[in-house]
Amino acid sequence: MPVAFANSHGHLRHNGVMQTAEAPDLRYPTGRYTPPASITSGHRGEWIDTLAQTPGMLRAAVEELGAEQLDTPYRPGGWTIRQVVHHFPDSHMNAYVRFRLALTEDEPVIKPYHEHLWAELADAKTSSIHSSLKLFEGLHGRWVALLASLTPEQFQRAFNHPEIGVHNLEWTLGMYAWHCGHHLAHIDNLKSRMGWR
Ligand code: NI
């Protein structure tokens, strides 16, 4: 999995968390990313739609929350809602750059980053969510425009993650569509458990 084994909040790891019927998995509410055996143009279209819709869904999910709610961890020991909001553009900016590199270079080696440490920087822990909501909307606007322009051949272009190897763009697109739902579910599930809706 790209971005996978290098990140310590671990949501992209294949190994790990046990899930039982009695204790729903708060960390992986939608399960792990399981790409289809064969990715079609239909899958790509659905995933692009997900990327197009997620900024609005994120804004709707969090814009009415107060500071104390935003500073509540989505699970015990997990990121706060505020950190999750800032994580969306932090993660997807890296993804956007990786797509552009893969489209303009031959299987470029991309730069991993420590997302758990990014989430501990002061702005990600304490700053207003509004800058990240705007950043995320603008970023996905550009990213979706790029994705909508790509040919099937371009979706086969790939980058090389130094820790987890080579993945092509359609596989990676599916992973980031999964990533959108993964973190939106963290927020929605906390709101449900807390009675905030
Ligand atoms: Ni994430």
Side-chain angles (χ1 to χ4, degrees):
M1 315 271 315
V3 276
F5 298 95
N7 77 55
S8 82
H9 90 279
H11 60 268
L12 296 175
R13 291 170 190 256
H14 281 300
N15 58 334
V17 183
M18 294 289 288
Q19 183 165 7
T20 68
E22 297 75 30
D25 188 340
L26 297 180
R27 185 180 289 196
Y28 294 92
T30 65
R32 313 303 174 96
Y33 174 46
T34 52
S38 177
I39 295 172
T40 66
S41 62
H43 293 123
R44 294 193 297 265
E46 288 174 22
W47 294 335
I48 293 170
D49 285 346
T50 295
L51 295 193
Q53 293 163 12
T54 296
M57 294 172 70
L58 177 63
R59 178 180 289 279
V62 300
E63 67 182 351
E64 301 299 328
L65 298 178
E68 194 170 328
Q69 293 169 315
L70 291 171
D71 290 323
T72 303
Y74 82 87
R75 64 175 172 87
W79 285 343
T80 64
I81 299 303
R82 189 186 305 277
Q83 285 175 299
V84 172
V85 172
H86 290 310
H87 169 66
F88 271 104
D90 281 354
S91 169
H92 292 201
M93 282 190 289
N94 279 278
Y96 171 80
V97 168
R98 291 169 184 182
F99 271 67
R100 297 187 84 76
L101 290 172
L103 288 164
T104 55
E105 301 177 25
D106 184 18
E107 217 166 86
V109 177
I110 55 86
K111 179 71 177 70
Y113 71 105
H114 297 295
E115 67 176 16
H116 60 295
L117 296 178
W118 285 40
E120 294 300 319
L121 294 173
D123 63 319
K125 287 191 82 164
T126 65
S127 73
S128 165
I129 60 172
H130 294 292
S131 55
S132 276
L133 291 176
K134 287 189 288 187
L135 179 60
F136 194 48
E137 286 163 351
L139 176 67
H140 273 224
R142 277 294 301 280
W143 197 9
V144 166
L146 173 67
L147 293 166
S149 77
L150 298 184
T151 64
E153 292 73 27
Q154 285 176 304
F155 273 109
Q156 303 310 311
R157 297 187 65 87
F159 57 78
N160 185 350
H161 188 296
E163 287 148 8
I164 56 171
V166 175
H167 289 288
N168 69 27
L169 294 186
E170 64 182 9
W171 186 96
T172 306
L173 168 61
M175 198 200 62
Y176 281 95
W178 168 86
H179 189 245
C180 288
H182 168 72
H183 284 299
L184 286 175
H186 289 155
I187 296 169
D188 287 342
N189 289 355
L190 178 69
K191 289 171 69 179
S192 291
R193 296 203 306 279
M194 302 296 277
W196 290 347
R197 56 178 82 247

